[in-house]
């Protein structure tokens, strides 16, 4: 049916189907659809995309493949090579369950072979990405402006963004980042030098309220980077084995050097917890030991201090009411 699209078609929305394999020349091999600007093929259970699937759609600027199960081992590495004018690529929750390292390697291969020179926006949300073992994964996207990586499992900035000379927005919201190094914070600042503005979203990450947070705390005060939702960014700490959180803007930076600081890392809290248990058992056994010694001492004292009692022999016990009988 897609091979019979009207020539005037500008937007194609083809969602909610069951198409494990997208065959070559899905739009036919006879003509180019020069008016087609947007393709949305989300929620189609797509697993494999052939190399020439999207031939004859050279004018497409936005491709949306969200919520599929694409396998790169089955799909062709030049799967996006026919989109000469592609500006936006949406791949939210788009892949088969991959290990992060494998996904990074496959993405780099595809970006390198697909010649996406005009790509400006890349969406990779909700793909359970923990890290990018291939730090150069995005470096072939030289005109990339906006990179969306929210709702993954990233623990740090494990990919190179210095190579993205035009980058203006980085979305790291709702990942698993606990700290930023000073070098990473300096990298964010470097984009202000290159561009007039740079936007960053790091909200909803589980930052730890410890001394390492000082770098982020001071950076937020002085940076010229536009940090979205900066007043809602929180850090977490443990107190009495209960997890608390506060806004970073309210973080008392001086307390990180205090021995009485309540802002401690998770590892410190575990150590504190086990120390408390150990002290409890030591105190308990010491109490038992002292109690036993006290009892023994008391018994010995009583043994040597009691006065002997004189024995009295009674022949008969007379009842006071009995009358005296005279014989």
């Amino acid at each position: 049916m897609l091979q019979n699209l009207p020539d005037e078609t500008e937007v194609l929305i083809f969602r909610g189907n069951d198409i494990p394999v997208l065959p070559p020349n899905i739009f036919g091999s006879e003509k180019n659809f020069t008016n087609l600007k947007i393709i949305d093929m989300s929620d189609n259970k797509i697993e494999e995309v052939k190399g020439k699937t999207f031939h004859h759609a050279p004018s497409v600027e936005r491709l949306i493949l969200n919520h599929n199960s694409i396998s790169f081992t089955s799909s062709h590495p030049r799967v996006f090579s026919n989109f000469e004018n592609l500006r936006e690529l949406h791949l939210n929750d788009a892949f088969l369950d991959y290990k992060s390292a494998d996904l990074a390697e496959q993405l780099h291969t595809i970006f390198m072979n697909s010649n996406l020179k005009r790509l400006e926006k890349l969406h990779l949300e909700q793909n359970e990405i923990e890290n990018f073992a291939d730090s150069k994964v995005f470096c072939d996207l030289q005109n990339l402006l906006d990179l969306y990586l929210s709702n993954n499992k990233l623990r740090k900035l494990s990919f190179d963004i210095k190579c993205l000379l035009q980058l203006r927005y980085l979305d790291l919201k709702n990942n698993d980042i606990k700290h930023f190094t000073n070098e990473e914070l300096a990298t964010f600042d470097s984009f202000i030098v290159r561009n007039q503005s740079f936007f960053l979203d790091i909200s909803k990450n589980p930052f730890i309220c410890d001394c390492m947070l000082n770098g982020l705390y001071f950076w937020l005060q002085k940076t010229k980077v536009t940090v979205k939702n900066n007043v809602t960014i929180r850090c977490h700490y443990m107190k009495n084995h209960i997890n608390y959180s506060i806004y970073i803007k309210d973080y008392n930076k001086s307390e990180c050097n205090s021995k009485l600081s309540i802002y401690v890392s998770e590892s410190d809290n575990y150590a504190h917890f086990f120390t408390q248990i150990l002290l409890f058992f030591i105190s308990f056994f010491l109490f038992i030991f002292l109690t036993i010694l006290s009892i023994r001492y008391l018994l010995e004292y009583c043994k040597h201090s009691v006065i002997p009692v004189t024995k009295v022999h009674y022949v008969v016990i007379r009842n006071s009411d009995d009358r005296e009988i005279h014989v």
Side-chain angles (χ1 to χ4, degrees):
M1 66 189 306
L2 297 180
Q3 295 184 2
N4 297 307
L5 291 177
D7 294 343
E8 298 80 15
T9 303
E10 296 180 3
V11 178
L12 170 65
I13 300 175
F14 192 74
R15 306 179 57 172
N17 299 287
D18 189 353
I19 312 173
V21 180
L22 292 184
N25 295 313
I26 196 170
F27 301 118
S29 57
E30 301 298 326
K31 58 183 179 181
N32 287 337
F33 290 88
T34 55
N35 292 311
L36 189 58
K37 302 295 183 184
I38 299 173
I39 298 176
D40 184 354
M41 300 191 73
S42 303
D43 299 291
N44 282 318
K45 302 180 182 178
I46 299 169
E47 298 177 6
E48 182 179 353
V49 184
K50 298 296 184 181
K52 295 183 178 181
T53 292
F54 296 109
H55 271 208
H56 303 289
S59 300
V60 171
E61 296 179 358
R62 183 188 303 168
L63 175 63
I64 307 173
L65 295 173
N66 297 337
H67 308 298
N68 283 294
S69 300
I70 300 171
S71 169
F72 284 133
T73 55
S74 302
S75 301
H76 198 279
R78 292 175 56 83
V79 62
F80 302 127
S81 61
N82 302 297
F83 293 109
E84 302 170 4
N85 294 290
L86 194 65
R87 261 67 170 185
E88 297 182 28
L89 179 56
H90 296 250
L91 297 171
N92 302 5
D93 187 25
F95 307 113
L96 196 65
D97 291 336
Y98 271 101
K99 292 181 180 179
S100 293
D102 295 335
L103 179 58
E105 183 178 354
Q106 297 293 341
L107 282 173
H108 190 187
T109 300
I110 285 179
F111 295 151
M112 183 172 57
N113 287 282
S114 293
N115 197 27
L116 298 173
K117 292 183 177 180
R118 298 190 178 185
L119 190 68
E120 297 177 349
K121 295 185 178 183
L122 175 61
H123 290 260
L124 288 170
E125 299 99 317
Q126 302 178 47
N127 284 302
E128 299 188 1
I129 301 170
E130 295 180 5
N131 64 78
F132 289 104
D134 183 354
S135 63
K136 302 295 183 182
V137 58
F138 304 118
C139 288
D140 292 286
L141 309 176
Q142 287 299 302
N143 285 304
L144 194 65
L145 299 177
D146 304 333
L147 178 56
Y148 297 85
L149 291 166
S150 66
N151 298 292
N152 281 290
K153 296 180 179 180
L154 289 169
R155 298 175 183 175
K156 60 180 181 179
L157 199 67
S158 59
F159 54 94
D160 186 7
I161 59 173
K162 294 179 182 178
C163 61
L164 302 175
L165 303 180
Q166 307 300 321
L167 192 65
R168 66 183 181 186
Y169 178 55
L170 178 60
D171 183 4
L172 296 172
K173 179 174 70 268
N174 198 22
N175 275 278
D176 197 25
I177 301 171
K178 294 179 173 61
H179 296 106
F180 281 117
T181 66
N182 290 333
E183 182 180 358
E184 290 168 341
L185 296 174
T187 298
F188 297 145
D189 282 328
S190 68
F191 284 95
I192 293 295
V193 178
R194 301 177 189 176
N195 310 315
Q196 292 184 344
S197 60
F198 179 68
F199 295 83
L200 177 69
D201 194 342
I202 56 174
S203 59
K204 297 184 179 180
N205 276 286
F207 294 110
I208 299 298
C209 300
D210 60 8
C211 289
M212 288 187 66
L213 188 72
N214 272 355
L216 179 59
Y217 175 86
F218 285 117
W219 181 81
L220 287 171
Q221 312 304 314
K222 66 181 182 179
T223 185
K224 295 182 180 180
V225 172
T226 302
V227 183
K228 296 184 65 176
N229 305 310
N230 61 339
V231 296
T232 67
I233 300 173
R234 290 176 173 266
C235 68
H236 302 262
Y237 65 93
M238 296 286 290
K239 183 180 181 182
N240 298 327
H241 315 304
I242 300 175
N243 188 18
Y244 294 91
S245 68
I246 59 171
Y247 293 113
I248 289 183
K249 63 182 179 63
D250 297 327
Y251 169 64
N252 187 350
K253 58 190 178 300
S254 64
E255 292 192 19
C256 82
N257 294 319
S258 171
K259 293 182 180 179
L260 301 177
S261 174
I262 62 173
Y263 305 112
V264 292
S265 64
E266 290 177 334
S267 60
D268 292 334
N269 280 284
Y270 287 129
H272 177 73
F273 175 70
F274 288 117
T275 300
Q276 292 295 321
I277 291 179
L278 181 61
L279 289 175
F280 169 78
F281 280 109
I282 291 175
S283 301
F284 175 75
F285 286 116
L286 184 59
F287 172 77
I288 296 296
F289 177 72
L290 292 175
T291 301
I292 293 173
L293 285 180
S294 299
I295 292 174
R296 289 187 61 182
Y297 176 79
L298 183 60
L299 290 175
E300 290 293 327
Y301 177 79
C302 292
K303 180 178 178 181
H304 296 288
S305 301
V306 174
I307 300 175
V309 179
T310 303
K311 294 182 179 179
V312 180
H313 296 279
Y314 293 94
V315 176
V316 63
I317 301 178
R318 186 185 299 273
N319 192 325
S320 60
D321 295 332
D322 290 346
R323 293 181 179 181
E324 186 176 353
I325 300 175
H326 298 277
V327 179

